[in-house]
Amino acid sequence: MSSASVVRGPRDVAELLARARAMAGRTVGELAAERSMYLPRDMRHAKGLVGILVEHTLGVEARDRSTAAPDFEHLGVELKTIPLDRRGRPRESTFVCHATLARIAETDWERSDVRRKLARVLWVPIESERELRLADRRIGAPLLWSPTGDEEAALRADWEELAGLVGVGAIERIDARMGHVLQLRPKAAHGRVRTIGHDEDGAPIEVGPRAFYLRATFTERIFGAASTLPTSVA
DNA sequence: GATTGATCATAC
DNA sequence: GTATGATCAATC
């Protein structure tokens, strides 16, 4: 494999999986060196960097960002890295997608960005103990996942509750404690960012941008169900 | 220790 | 400025 070359997109899911499996056991430092990517010492300045690195390594191509299409659009597969602790449990919630507050009331679960993104996900675990240097973190075995019937029902219920509240102008009453598996949380470069929402009367109001996230308790079950870990979390 | 709200980097 | 890639850090 030549260094820093652009990786072409995988032809099919089998090729994508083969590439992902080939990454397993390698370190973030190795992958970064191949792609001539600089790794900051401080994780504070490296948020999202491993995600981009894995995208490039697997061949996610530049694409239209104006629609919420999955990373591998022609395969219908979304790529997500997920930080795991030494017990194999997710250390963080998982960003799903931006919430289009002004328009969310016009859609439904079936046509939602959340459902489209999560229809099929290639999870790439990253060994992520806090004290482990970024370059030394290893890539784990990938997992191609689609929601089970129960999982989709849970996602749908949360989405409908949250989107419903946004739709009736009650966004200010939503906080991250809502949602059993799916949350709506702030998502912005900094605290002064504002976007347009609507109040109860349909009048435009300025609110902080929000995004959908999967709770760690939800993603933990995904890995628990398929995991080869010696003990699952009772 | 887990969770919520805030924040950081990059592409366009 | 918006959206995607996430993790940090204050708080519970």
Side-chain angles (χ1 to χ4, degrees), chain A residues 43-44 47 55 65 71 81 98 187 213:
Chain A
M43 278 303 293
R44 188 164 178 265
K47 299 178 187 179
E55 279 193 351
R65 301 276 185 180
D71 295 303
T81 59
H98 175 80
K187 166 73 164 162
Y213 294 80

Coordinates of all heavy atoms in Angstrom, one line a residue, chain A residues 43-44 47 55 65 71 81 98 187 213, chain C residues 1-9 12:
Chain A
M43 N -5.6 14.8 23.3 CA -6.9 14.4 22.7 C -7.9 15.5 22.6 O -8.8 15.4 21.8 CB -7.5 13.3 23.6 CG -6.9 11.9 23.3 SD -7.0 11.4 21.6 CE -8.8 11.2 21.4
R44 N -7.7 16.5 23.4 CA -8.6 17.7 23.3 C -8.5 18.3 21.8 O -9.5 18.8 21.4 CB -8.1 18.8 24.3 CG -9.0 19.9 24.4 CD -8.6 20.7 25.7 NE -9.5 21.9 25.8 CZ -9.1 23.1 25.4 NH1 -7.9 23.3 24.9 NH2 -9.9 24.1 25.6
K47 N -10.2 15.3 18.6 CA -11.6 14.8 18.5 C -11.9 14.6 17.0 O -11.7 15.4 16.2 CB -12.6 15.8 19.0 CG -12.4 16.2 20.5 CD -13.4 17.2 20.9 CE -13.1 17.7 22.3 NZ -14.0 18.7 22.8
E55 N -12.0 6.5 8.0 CA -12.7 6.8 6.8 C -11.7 6.7 5.6 O -12.0 6.0 4.6 CB -13.3 8.2 6.8 CG -14.6 8.3 7.5 CD -15.3 9.6 7.2 OE1 -14.6 10.5 6.6 OE2 -16.4 9.8 7.6
R65 N -22.4 16.9 1.2 CA -22.7 17.0 2.6 C -24.1 17.7 2.8 O -24.5 17.9 4.0 CB -21.6 17.8 3.3 CG -20.3 17.3 3.3 CD -20.0 16.2 4.3 NE -18.7 15.7 4.3 CZ -18.2 14.8 5.1 NH1 -19.0 14.2 5.9 NH2 -17.0 14.4 5.0
D71 N -22.0 7.0 4.8 CA -20.7 7.2 4.3 C -20.4 6.4 3.0 O -19.9 6.9 2.1 CB -19.7 6.7 5.4 CG -19.7 7.6 6.6 OD1 -19.5 8.8 6.5 OD2 -19.9 7.0 7.7
T81 N -16.6 4.9 14.2 CA -15.7 4.3 15.1 C -16.3 4.5 16.5 O -17.1 5.3 16.8 CB -14.3 5.1 15.1 OG1 -14.6 6.5 15.4 CG2 -13.7 5.0 13.8
H98 N -26.8 15.4 12.7 CA -27.4 16.7 13.0 C -28.9 16.7 13.0 O -29.5 15.9 12.2 CB -26.9 17.7 12.0 CG -27.4 19.1 12.1 ND1 -26.9 20.0 13.0 CD2 -28.4 19.7 11.4 CE1 -27.6 21.1 12.9 NE2 -28.5 21.0 12.0
K187 N -24.9 20.5 20.0 CA -23.8 20.1 19.0 C -23.4 21.4 18.3 O -24.1 21.9 17.4 CB -24.4 19.1 18.1 CG -23.5 18.8 16.8 CD -22.3 18.1 17.1 CE -21.7 17.5 15.8 NZ -20.3 17.1 16.0
Y213 N -27.8 11.4 19.3 CA -26.7 10.6 19.8 C -27.3 9.3 20.3 O -28.4 9.3 20.9 CB -25.9 11.2 21.0 CG -25.2 12.5 20.6 CD1 -25.8 13.7 20.5 CD2 -23.8 12.4 20.4 CE1 -25.0 14.8 20.2 CE2 -23.0 13.5 20.1 CZ -23.7 14.7 20.0 OH -23.0 15.9 19.7
Chain C
dG1 P -21.0 33.0 12.3 OP1 -21.9 33.9 12.8 OP2 -19.9 32.4 12.9 O5' -21.7 31.9 11.3 C5' -22.7 32.4 10.5 C4' -23.3 31.3 9.7 O4' -22.2 30.8 8.8 C3' -23.7 30.1 10.5 O3' -24.9 29.5 9.9 C2' -22.6 29.1 10.4 C1' -22.0 29.4 9.0 N9 -20.6 29.1 9.0 C8 -19.6 29.7 9.7 N7 -18.4 29.2 9.4 C5 -18.6 28.3 8.4 C6 -17.7 27.5 7.6 O6 -16.5 27.4 7.7 N1 -18.4 26.7 6.7 C2 -19.8 26.7 6.5 N2 -20.2 25.9 5.6 N3 -20.6 27.5 7.2 C4 -20.0 28.2 8.1
dT2 P -25.6 28.3 10.8 OP1 -27.0 28.5 10.6 OP2 -25.0 28.1 12.1 O5' -25.2 27.0 9.9 C5' -25.6 26.9 8.6 C4' -25.3 25.6 8.0 O4' -23.8 25.4 7.9 C3' -25.7 24.4 8.9 O3' -26.3 23.4 8.1 C2' -24.5 24.0 9.6 C1' -23.4 24.3 8.6 N1 -22.1 24.6 9.1 C2 -21.0 24.0 8.5 O2 -21.1 23.2 7.6 N3 -19.8 24.3 9.0 C4 -19.5 25.2 10.0 O4 -18.3 25.4 10.3 C5 -20.7 25.8 10.6 C7 -20.5 26.8 11.7 C6 -21.9 25.5 10.1
dA3 P -27.0 22.2 8.9 OP1 -28.2 21.8 8.1 OP2 -27.2 22.4 10.3 O5' -26.0 21.0 8.7 C5' -25.6 20.6 7.4 C4' -24.4 19.6 7.5 O4' -23.2 20.3 7.9 C3' -24.6 18.5 8.5 O3' -24.5 17.2 7.9 C2' -23.6 18.7 9.6 C1' -22.5 19.5 8.8 N9 -21.7 20.4 9.6 C8 -22.2 21.2 10.6 N7 -21.2 21.9 11.2 C5 -20.1 21.4 10.7 C6 -18.7 21.6 10.9 N6 -18.3 22.5 11.9 N1 -17.8 20.9 10.2 C2 -18.2 20.1 9.3 N3 -19.5 19.8 8.9 C4 -20.4 20.4 9.7
dT4 P -24.5 15.9 8.7 OP1 -25.2 14.9 7.9 OP2 -25.0 16.2 10.1 O5' -23.0 15.5 8.8 C5' -22.2 15.4 7.7 C4' -20.8 14.9 8.0 O4' -20.1 16.0 8.6 C3' -20.8 13.7 9.0 O3' -20.0 12.7 8.5 C2' -20.3 14.3 10.3 C1' -19.5 15.5 9.8 N1 -19.4 16.6 10.8 C2 -18.2 17.1 11.2 O2 -17.2 16.8 10.7 N3 -18.3 18.1 12.1 C4 -19.5 18.6 12.7 O4 -19.4 19.5 13.6 C5 -20.7 18.0 12.3 C7 -22.0 18.5 12.9 C6 -20.6 17.0 11.4
dG5 P -20.0 11.3 9.4 OP1 -19.7 10.3 8.4 OP2 -21.2 11.3 10.2 O5' -18.8 11.6 10.4 C5' -17.5 11.5 9.9 C4' -16.5 11.9 10.9 O4' -16.6 13.3 11.3 C3' -16.7 11.2 12.3 O3' -16.3 9.9 12.3 C2' -15.9 12.1 13.2 C1' -16.0 13.4 12.6 N9 -16.8 14.3 13.3 C8 -18.2 14.4 13.4 N7 -18.6 15.3 14.2 C5 -17.5 15.9 14.7 C6 -17.3 16.9 15.7 O6 -18.2 17.6 16.3 N1 -16.0 17.3 15.9 C2 -14.9 16.6 15.2 N2 -13.7 17.1 15.6 N3 -15.1 15.7 14.4 C4 -16.4 15.3 14.2
dA6 P -16.7 8.9 13.6 OP1 -16.0 7.6 13.3 OP2 -18.1 9.0 13.8 O5' -15.9 9.6 14.8 C5' -16.4 9.6 16.1 C4' -15.8 10.8 16.8 O4' -16.5 12.0 16.6 C3' -15.7 10.6 18.4 O3' -14.5 10.0 18.7 C2' -15.7 12.1 18.8 C1' -16.2 12.9 17.7 N9 -17.4 13.6 18.0 C8 -18.7 13.3 17.8 N7 -19.6 14.1 18.3 C5 -18.8 15.1 18.9 C6 -19.1 16.3 19.5 N6 -20.3 16.8 19.8 N1 -18.0 17.1 19.9 C2 -16.8 16.6 19.7 N3 -16.4 15.5 19.1 C4 -17.4 14.8 18.7
dT7 P -14.4 9.3 20.2 OP1 -13.2 8.4 20.1 OP2 -15.7 8.9 20.6 O5' -14.0 10.6 21.1 C5' -12.8 11.4 20.7 C4' -12.7 12.5 21.7 O4' -13.8 13.4 21.6 C3' -12.6 12.1 23.1 O3' -11.5 12.8 23.7 C2' -13.9 12.4 23.7 C1' -14.4 13.6 22.9 N1 -15.8 13.8 22.7 C2 -16.4 15.0 23.0 O2 -15.7 15.9 23.4 N3 -17.7 15.1 22.9 C4 -18.6 14.1 22.4 O4 -19.8 14.3 22.3 C5 -17.9 12.8 22.1 C7 -18.8 11.7 21.6 C6 -16.6 12.7 22.2
dC8 P -11.2 12.8 25.3 OP1 -9.7 12.7 25.4 OP2 -12.0 11.8 26.0 O5' -11.6 14.3 25.8 C5' -11.2 15.4 25.0 C4' -11.8 16.7 25.6 O4' -13.2 16.8 25.5 C3' -11.4 16.8 27.1 O3' -11.2 18.2 27.3 C2' -12.7 16.4 27.7 C1' -13.8 16.8 26.8 N1 -15.0 16.0 26.7 C2 -16.3 16.5 26.8 O2 -16.4 17.7 27.1 N3 -17.4 15.7 26.7 C4 -17.2 14.4 26.4 N4 -18.3 13.7 26.3 C5 -15.9 13.8 26.3 C6 -14.8 14.6 26.4
dA9 P -10.5 18.7 28.6 OP1 -9.8 20.0 28.3 OP2 -9.7 17.6 29.2 O5' -11.7 19.1 29.6 C5' -12.5 20.1 29.3 C4' -13.7 20.2 30.3 O4' -14.6 19.2 30.0 C3' -13.2 20.0 31.7 O3' -14.1 20.7 32.5 C2' -13.5 18.5 31.9 C1' -14.8 18.4 31.2 N9 -15.3 17.1 30.8 C8 -14.5 16.0 30.6 N7 -15.2 14.9 30.2 C5 -16.5 15.4 30.2 C6 -17.7 14.8 29.9 N6 -17.8 13.5 29.5 N1 -18.9 15.6 30.0 C2 -18.7 16.9 30.3 N3 -17.6 17.5 30.6 C4 -16.5 16.7 30.5
dC12 P -25.0 20.0 39.0 OP1 -26.2 20.9 38.7 OP2 -24.2 20.3 40.2 O5' -25.5 18.5 39.1 C5' -26.0 17.9 37.9 C4' -26.1 16.4 38.1 O4' -24.8 15.9 38.0 C3' -26.6 16.0 39.4 O3' -27.7 15.1 39.2 C2' -25.5 15.4 40.1 C1' -24.6 14.9 39.0 N1 -23.1 14.8 39.3 C2 -22.4 13.7 39.0 O2 -23.0 12.7 38.5 N3 -21.1 13.6 39.3 C4 -20.5 14.7 39.9 N4 -19.2 14.6 40.1 C5 -21.2 15.9 40.2 C6 -22.5 15.9 39.9

